[in-house]
Amino acid sequence: MGNKPSFGETNLPCPQPRQFPMLLWLLLLLILAPGRDQSGVTPKAFLLLNPPWSTNFHKDKVTLTCSDSLSPAQGDIYWYYNENLLNKKSEEIQIDKTGYYKCKTQRSSLSDPIHVDFSSDKLILQAPHPVFEGDDVVLRCQAREKAKEISLYRNKTLIQSDFTLKSVSRNNDTYHCTALIQGFLWTWRKEISKHLTIQVQELFPPPMLIASPSSPIEGSPVTLKCETWLPPQRSHIQLQFCFFREDKALQKCWSSSPELTLPTVWSEDAESYWCQAESVTPSIRKRSLRSQLYVQRIPVSDVTLEIQPPEGQLIEGENLILICSVAKGTGTVTFSWHREGTVRSLGTKTQRSLSAVLQILTVKESDAGRYYCAADNIHGPILSKLIRVTLRIPVSRPVFTLTSPRMQAMVGDVVELHCESQRGSPPILYRFYHDNVTLGSSSVPSGRAGFKFSLTAEHSGNYSCEADNSLGVQRSDRVILSVTVPVSHPVFTFSPAGPQAVAGDVLELHCEAQKGSPPILYWFYYKNVTLGSREAPFGGGASFNLTLMAEHSGNFSCGADNGLGVQHSEMVILSIIGPPSNKTTLITEGVTAGLLSILGLAATAALVHYFRTQRNSERLSTTRTPSYSPREFKEPSRTSNTNPQEPPDPVEPQPVYNNVNPGDSDLVYSQIWSIQHTKENSANSPRKHWEDKEPTVIYSDLKKVYPDDSTGQASIGDSDLEDAIENYENVPCILSALDR
């Protein structure tokens, strides 16, 4: 096979030694002659014969025509006979000598030689000219005299009698014919023609593969052309093409286009390429020589590193993008990224491009530093310049502190607020809030910020602060500040309002301080004597209910105290008018009856004591009512009103019964005592006037023991008890008199 030619070389036939001077001169003519096509290959001229037979009888005339296309040739024509230049310049010449003829025009190279034979034989075998590969050829066996029994032979083998050859090829087969020719005195003798080799011309020459550009730069396109041509006589024949790299087709075979464009070629594509050309009808296929494609690689240069976001705009927690680029360089490039001070690379990528991207996810403060990248396409790594990467750190949640000169802040104290974020890029703007209302702000390059102010009563509430460095706002936890405010002078009122009131009415006393931190304890006074107190745990006022008596005429006032000092209201004078007639009559009757029964009570005291001691358990089981002696009575506990704002509900006297039976007497006394209950705590009653009062004790004749009651006990059913209750005779008395 020999060495592979590179793209663009032309193979010239080697001249025979005896023809060297003439061929050298012809080569010079070819170089200087115009008419070359874009590939640099000059098409061949061709010869036409008229008549079209390459073998003729002696003294026949044949006209040769030289052409380079279907149109007449232009300029001088060069004719050659047996490799000798003839002194003829015309397009046509007449010949009658046996030999090889060639020609060329100014727009073409030398035609293929044609052998024209002028024979003196009596029988010749004629083949037309031109004959191309794949043509069907009709041969003619000619005799000077009358002939018969004509036969055709190929390679001395009889083949046929119609002298038509199908799809001839350039295989150097020889043909001859035989015939009986009429001779002297009408005799027939057999004649044999000379052997004939049909001059079959190429339908098209083997294609030449041409690359444009011949040495492409790596990464650029290249166009491959499978170049051949058809003679003008066969220009109607369709050709199709196929391209190969090594032994692999580059596209689907076959294509009517003689060109194939490769979008990009790389250094690894530098292999041998070849092509094939094929005529559709007849089917003639030819291939080019293999040619090596040389691909140029350009080293990388001007390596640069770019970061996104740009310098100074990267925030902690975001992604950092590193872009490594080269201005020049072809082929496969290996990119790598590095941070100054670290041995291992941050990452590498190998790809066919002029840039590559590396992304660092969720950067931290430790990722700050100087970065660079390197690029290499087998010619050695080229480094970029160093680029500094800095991070902006959002502020952390600030710590808020409040400093007061004492444990319990008071009005007039100077407090200091401090706000500090442990992390965050400066400058940091701090804002201070009281109940979400801005108190002030301060911007500091580092450290904490402070804010001072003097307390007023309105400064109680929630305090917090914010930190902001334009990368996000963070708010601190809330701190509750309670400013203790001394109570103001309370306002004392009573309801119903008016300078006079009626004894027995319930009067509501109200005391309220307009200022003061809760809880507030209110005290109510009558003539500077404490009536009671009420607490307002959430601020505001407090009320106290007082049942008026005639002796309550005088000055009333109140005081307020929240631990910072007592403040007193102004005094209010109230006059008490006597009670209504019905109430006065009842009281008078009760007192009179009580005085009259004192003597009876004293006389029966011993009987009561004896009766309670001896009969207590038995009477309890019979009547299911506990018995007590007047001397064993104790004051029930006073319950306080849980809601000082509500007046106490009037409670009816609750009687307690105790039966008294003095010995064997059939007279039974019943002790009935009652207590006036109120909802107020006894400690808060006005002047505690109930503390010295004893319950009213009333004795009444209940029932006599009948003679038939053997046990000496009064058996009382529900109906009897009901009758007995209706027969009570009430005798009010004072327990203290009974004790005496």
Side-chain angles (χ1 to χ4, degrees):
M1 293 296 294
N3 295 332
K4 298 177 183 178
S6 61
F7 283 103
E9 292 185 2
T10 303
N11 295 324
L12 296 176
C14 294
Q16 299 178 7
R18 64 183 182 88
Q19 298 171 336
F20 177 76
M22 180 61 69
L23 290 177
L24 184 61
W25 181 80
L26 290 176
L27 180 60
L28 180 61
L29 289 177
L30 286 172
I31 295 173
L32 297 176
R36 294 173 179 265
D37 62 10
Q38 293 181 355
S39 66
V41 179
T42 304
K44 290 181 179 181
F46 58 90
L47 286 171
L48 299 177
L49 293 99
N50 187 22
W53 311 112
S54 59
T55 301
N56 298 277
F57 287 109
H58 181 60
K59 295 184 179 180
D60 286 347
K61 298 290 185 181
V62 175
T63 300
L64 295 179
T65 302
C66 184
S67 180
D68 55 13
S69 65
L70 293 178
S71 60
Q74 298 178 357
D76 293 338
I77 306 298
Y78 300 93
W79 291 96
Y80 302 90
Y81 172 66
N82 292 333
E83 301 298 336
N84 294 315
L85 180 64
L86 298 177
N87 189 18
K88 296 181 181 293
K89 302 292 185 182
S90 62
E91 182 180 357
E92 294 181 352
I93 63 173
Q94 275 193 345
I95 62 171
D96 55 6
K97 294 181 180 179
T98 299
Y100 288 93
Y101 291 87
K102 293 190 296 186
C103 74
K104 75 172 291 298
T105 67
Q106 291 183 350
R107 298 181 301 181
S108 67
S109 61
L110 281 170
S111 67
D112 291 330
I114 181 173
H115 185 267
V116 182
D117 187 17
F118 293 90
S119 174
S120 300
D121 296 338
K122 293 181 179 180
L123 184 67
I124 61 174
L125 181 62
Q126 292 181 314
H129 181 82
V131 175
F132 294 95
E133 298 170 294
D135 285 353
D136 293 339
V137 178
V138 178
L139 301 179
R140 191 170 72 167
C141 190
Q142 289 287 95
R144 288 182 182 272
E145 304 295 339
K146 187 176 180 181
K148 65 178 182 178
E149 296 182 10
I150 300 173
S151 299
L152 178 65
Y153 293 83
R154 179 174 61 197
N155 299 327
K156 301 180 180 181
T157 302
L158 180 66
I159 55 173
Q160 60 183 22
S161 59
D162 60 359
F163 288 78
T164 300
L165 304 178
K166 297 292 185 181
S167 186
V168 296
S169 61
R170 303 179 70 185
N171 52 14
N172 295 322
D173 289 341
T174 60
Y175 298 87
H176 72 275
C177 65
T178 62
L180 295 177
I181 298 177
Q182 187 178 14
F184 183 72
L185 298 177
W186 298 279
T187 59
W188 299 88
R189 68 178 182 273
K190 184 177 180 180
E191 293 288 341
I192 300 175
S193 69
K194 290 182 179 179
H195 287 260
L196 172 68
T197 299
I198 301 175
Q199 300 180 59
V200 180
Q201 300 184 57
E202 287 184 322
L203 180 61
F204 56 90
M208 179 181 293
L209 185 63
I210 299 174
S212 178
S214 58
S215 296
I217 296 175
E218 192 174 25
S220 64
V222 65
T223 299
L224 303 179
K225 184 176 182 181
C226 192
E227 188 170 88
T228 188
W229 57 87
L230 292 166
Q233 302 95 320
R234 299 293 185 268
S235 59
H236 62 279
I237 293 178
Q238 182 181 356
L239 296 178
Q240 55 188 8
F241 305 89
C242 190
F243 296 85
F244 298 86
R245 180 171 64 200
E246 298 298 339
D247 295 324
K248 183 178 180 180
L250 295 175
Q251 64 175 7
K252 184 179 180 181
C253 295
W254 297 80
S255 171
S256 60
S257 173
E259 294 185 356
L260 173 65
T261 299
L262 303 178
T264 54
V265 291
W266 308 101
S267 59
E268 54 266 32
D269 296 330
E271 297 179 319
S272 62
Y273 292 76
W274 55 281
C275 69
Q276 281 185 338
E278 181 183 59
S279 60
V280 177
T281 303
S283 178
I284 305 299
R285 180 179 298 179
K286 297 182 181 181
R287 60 176 291 175
S288 70
L289 297 175
R290 290 177 179 262
S291 299
Q292 190 73 25
L293 181 65
Y294 296 100
V295 181
Q296 302 180 58
R297 168 163 287 187
I298 299 176
V300 295
S301 61
D302 298 333
V303 181
T304 58
L305 178 64
E306 177 187 354
I307 63 172
Q308 290 181 357
E311 173 67 21
Q313 298 183 17
L314 179 63
I315 301 174
E316 185 182 38
E318 293 183 341
N319 298 336
L320 173 63
I321 299 176
L322 305 175
I323 305 173
C324 191
S325 305
V326 297
K328 296 180 181 179
T330 59
T332 301
V333 181
T334 299
F335 297 90
S336 59
W337 292 265
H338 309 266
R339 185 173 69 239
E340 189 179 33
T342 59
V343 177
R344 297 182 59 183
S345 66
L346 302 176
T348 60
K349 287 187 178 180
T350 301
Q351 57 193 47
R352 289 173 179 166
S353 66
L354 296 179
S355 64
V357 177
L358 177 70
Q359 183 171 269
I360 300 177
L361 302 176
T362 316
V363 295
K364 304 178 291 297
E365 188 174 7
S366 58
D367 292 324
R370 297 202 298 176
Y371 289 75
Y372 67 94
C373 71
D376 181 15
N377 65 346
I378 313 179
H379 292 279
I382 306 297
L383 305 182
S384 70
K385 294 181 179 179
L386 290 167
I387 291 184
R388 181 173 295 278
V389 174
T390 58
L391 277 70
R392 300 182 64 196
I393 303 174
V395 292
S396 60
R397 190 173 188 180
V399 177
F400 176 76
T401 56
L402 187 150
T403 304
S404 174
R406 68 188 79 202
M407 290 294 294
Q408 181 63 47
M410 295 182 59
V411 173
D413 288 348
V414 175
V415 296
E416 185 172 2
L417 311 180
H418 292 285
C419 192
E420 182 177 10
S421 288
Q422 300 299 320
R423 297 180 73 248
S425 299
I428 302 175
L429 177 64
Y430 293 99
R431 299 184 186 92
F432 297 89
Y433 294 92
H434 172 222
D435 291 336
N436 295 324
V437 177
T438 304
L439 293 174
S441 62
S442 177
S443 180
V444 295
S446 62
R448 65 178 184 173
F451 182 79
K452 294 182 179 180
F453 63 96
S454 187
L455 293 177
T456 63
E458 293 77 16
H459 281 146
S460 293
N462 297 321
Y463 286 81
S464 62
C465 70
E466 278 183 351
D468 182 10
N469 63 349
S470 75
L471 303 179
V473 179
Q474 292 288 338
R475 196 153 193 170
S476 70
D477 292 331
R478 294 184 303 171
V479 174
I480 301 175
L481 176 64
S482 179
V483 180
T484 304
V485 180
V487 293
S488 60
H489 288 284
V491 177
F492 177 76
T493 59
F494 51 82
S495 178
Q500 293 180 343
V502 179
D505 288 346
V506 176
L507 184 67
E508 181 183 8
L509 309 181
H510 186 76
C511 190
E512 183 173 1
Q514 300 299 319
K515 294 182 180 180
S517 300
I520 302 175
L521 182 63
Y522 291 97
W523 298 87
F524 296 88
Y525 302 97
Y526 167 65
K527 292 182 180 181
N528 295 327
V529 177
T530 302
L531 296 174
S533 63
R534 293 289 186 272
E535 185 179 24
F538 306 106
S543 297
F544 181 84
N545 293 330
L546 176 65
T547 302
L548 294 178
M549 293 185 294
E551 61 267 23
H552 281 152
S553 294
N555 298 325
F556 288 83
S557 65
C558 70
D561 184 13
N562 65 348
L564 301 179
V566 180
Q567 296 290 336
H568 294 277
S569 69
E570 295 182 356
M571 291 189 177
V572 177
I573 300 175
L574 180 66
S575 298
I576 305 300
I577 303 175
S581 58
N582 57 343
K583 291 183 180 181
T584 304
T585 303
L586 292 174
I587 294 172
T588 302
E589 292 176 353
V591 172
T592 303
L595 293 176
L596 292 176
S597 63
I598 289 175
L599 295 176
L601 292 175
T604 59
L607 295 175
V608 171
H609 177 72
Y610 177 80
F611 173 79
R612 183 187 63 81
T613 303
Q614 297 296 327
R615 306 282 292 183
N616 184 39
S617 60
E618 180 180 353
R619 183 62 57 190
L620 178 60
S621 61
T622 303
T623 63
R624 298 190 184 275
T625 303
S627 62
Y628 300 93
S629 68
R631 290 186 178 274
E632 289 179 320
F633 170 78
K634 292 185 179 180
E635 182 182 3
S637 61
R638 279 75 169 172
T639 59
S640 62
N641 185 12
T642 58
N643 188 356
Q645 301 296 335
E646 298 180 1
D649 296 331
V651 180
E652 294 297 331
Q654 301 177 4
V656 179
Y657 301 96
N658 190 11
N659 296 325
V660 180
N661 185 0
D664 295 330
S665 173
D666 22 55
L667 178 63
V668 178
Y669 290 90
S670 176
Q671 179 185 0
I672 304 171
W673 56 272
S674 64
I675 300 171
Q676 183 75 20
H677 289 279
T678 63
K679 291 185 179 181
E680 293 83 358
N681 191 297
S682 61
N684 297 331
S685 298
R687 298 186 64 181
K688 301 181 181 178
H689 58 285
W690 295 111
E691 295 179 355
D692 298 330
K693 298 294 182 180
E694 294 183 349
T696 302
V697 180
I698 302 172
Y699 290 91
S700 178
D701 183 3
L702 177 62
K703 184 180 179 182
K704 292 184 179 180
V705 181
Y706 294 98
D708 58 353
D709 188 1
S710 60
T711 61
Q713 297 180 354
S715 177
I716 304 173
D718 291 340
S719 60
D720 297 334
L721 179 60
E722 186 176 328
D723 294 337
I725 293 174
E726 291 176 356
N727 294 326
Y728 283 157
E729 181 180 351
N730 296 326
V731 182
C733 68
I734 304 302
L735 184 60
S736 59
L738 180 61
D739 291 338
R740 290 191 295 269

